[in-house]
Amino acid sequence: MSATLIDGKKSAAKLIAECSEQIAELTAQGITPGLAVVLVGSDPASTFYVRSKSKKCKELGIHSVKLELPAETSQEELLKVIDDLNNDTAIHGILVQSPPPKQIDEAAIIAAIDPAKDVDGFHQVNVAKLVLEDSSGFVPCTPMGCQRLLMDYGVETEGANVVVLGRSMIVGKPMALLMMAKGKGANSTVTIAHSRTKNLSEVMRGADILIAAIGKPEFVKADDVKEGAVVIDVGINRVEDLIDDRGYRIVGDVAFDEVAPKCKAITPVPGGVGPMTIAMLMANTVKACKQITG
Ligand code: GUN
């Protein structure tokens, strides 16, 4: 089978164009959406993501505040930053890059963010709204991006067996909730599998749609995938590569070269889910701005 390559850059560009139209409408009313991105410490991957998010805001005309705080920032200092952003009327979206350094209680930080500005969709109120299928809430950007890719490529999700590999709060759990919800691009039968799942390979082979978000380089092999499955690879893993100038290369959670020939469609890494996450963050920021100012 020759797999369709699911082009995340193309889908993301479409979504960004939709955001751009909505931003123009807001600008015409004298409103500029604002996003604050907070990074504590200088983890290289997190620094890269935060800068990419700020850059995309600038391209789109979203007011962007990038706060790069020292690694030794205390819980109290970070809570104060969040409080200031909650009260800043120019800011409609707040994102604290995960994971923070060890001294930070991440759950308490997320709980301190105004749910109306929680464009990551991590706050309890937004998690509950996802469970309740209340569309006024914010859904985490990566799973929303995965769902949008499936929809853009006309993948049948209705009644499909979806296996989500990974149970994180950022991807696995919200991904499962999105796919089991009622509606377009959803209505699926969902299994969450993870590192402790028995007969994991067999479970993955039952998937019509396999969404890999386990954070282990090239974990999913050809034998784990059913012929004709659709595979969405959320993984962004650095592996040593002495031939590459950077000394590393990025691979997904799926062994692409051996899995792709079995698939109906598959996302590449990079260029698959990654660009969708940033585009969805822009979409959530515009949504927050409209809800707050509307
Ligand atoms: N770290 C990895 N993915 C994400 C994300 O979507 N949001 C935040 N805040 N941190 C992350």
Side-chain angles (χ1 to χ4, degrees):
M1 176 168 287
S2 155
T4 298
L5 202 61
I6 298 178
D7 184 345
K9 284 190 203 156
K10 203 164 125 196
S11 271
K14 229 171 74 184
L15 183 57
I16 289 290
E18 289 167 22
C19 289
S20 200
E21 277 176 29
Q22 295 180 54
I23 292 166
E25 282 168 24
L26 287 164
T27 311
Q29 300 168 51
I31 299 164
T32 306
L35 174 68
V37 180
V38 183
L39 172 66
V40 187
S42 57
D43 173 71
S46 292
T47 304
F48 173 77
Y49 297 140
V50 162
R51 294 192 178 157
S52 307
K53 288 166 185 173
S54 298
K55 199 169 136 220
K56 190 56 80 182
C57 282
K58 294 206 176 94
E59 276 171 36
L60 270 171
I62 292 177
H63 167 60
S64 153
V65 174
K66 184 174 63 189
L67 297 168
E68 297 191 34
L69 307 177
E72 53 291 346
T73 301
S74 70
Q75 181 79 6
E76 289 65 33
E77 285 165 334
L78 186 53
L79 283 171
K80 171 77 173 78
V81 168
I82 300 297
D83 191 46
D84 289 345
L85 293 170
N86 283 342
N87 292 312
D88 185 340
T89 53
I91 295 296
H92 308 100
I94 302 169
L95 177 149
V96 180
Q97 188 64 28
S98 180
K102 282 193 286 292
Q103 76 277 14
I104 300 294
D105 174 358
E106 190 175 15
I109 297 299
I110 291 167
I113 296 172
D114 178 349
K117 296 188 177 186
D118 169 38
V119 285
D120 254 331
F122 296 167
H123 190 282
Q124 299 96 309
V125 165
N126 287 315
V127 175
K129 284 186 174 180
L130 176 56
V131 174
L132 296 166
E133 300 183 28
D134 175 343
S135 62
S136 72
F138 294 99
V139 178
C141 302
T142 301
M144 234 191 348
C146 294
Q147 186 186 41
R148 174 74 182 241
L149 283 176
L150 293 171
M151 291 169 80
D152 279 358
Y153 279 80
V155 176
E156 179 62 88
T157 58
E158 177 103 18
N161 287 323
V162 171
V163 175
V164 179
L165 179 60
R167 51 178 159 176
S168 71
M169 288 303 301
I170 296 183
V171 186
K173 286 188 182 112
M175 187 78 246
L177 287 163
L178 268 182
M179 297 310 296
M180 75 175 74
K182 296 185 194 78
K184 242 177 89 196
N187 284 335
S188 306
T189 303
V190 178
T191 304
I192 296 199
H194 47 77
S195 55
R196 306 293 174 90
T197 297
K198 279 189 200 155
N199 306 320
L200 181 54
S201 184
E202 196 182 316
V203 172
M204 289 193 277
R205 268 199 307 278
D208 301 315
I209 301 170
L210 177 64
I211 303 174
I214 198 164
K216 293 183 182 163
E218 302 181 322
F219 180 84
V220 177
K221 309 289 189 203
D223 282 348
D224 303 323
V225 177
K226 176 164 77 179
E227 192 75 39
V230 174
V231 173
I232 303 290
D233 189 351
V234 179
I236 304 177
N237 308 291
R238 284 185 183 204
V239 294
E240 189 180 36
D241 185 345
L242 297 177
I243 293 167
D244 193 291
D245 287 345
R246 300 167 298 183
Y248 69 88
R249 70 196 152 89
I250 300 291
V251 299
D253 290 351
V254 177
F256 184 90
D257 290 347
E258 61 177 271
V259 170
K262 292 185 84 175
C263 296
K264 187 171 171 197
I266 185 167
T267 58
V269 175
V273 174
M276 294 303 285
T277 298
I278 295 195
M280 280 297 176
L281 176 64
M282 302 300 118
N284 270 352
T285 303
V286 171
K287 175 177 169 176
C289 177
K290 283 182 159 179
Q291 288 185 351
I292 290 170
T293 59

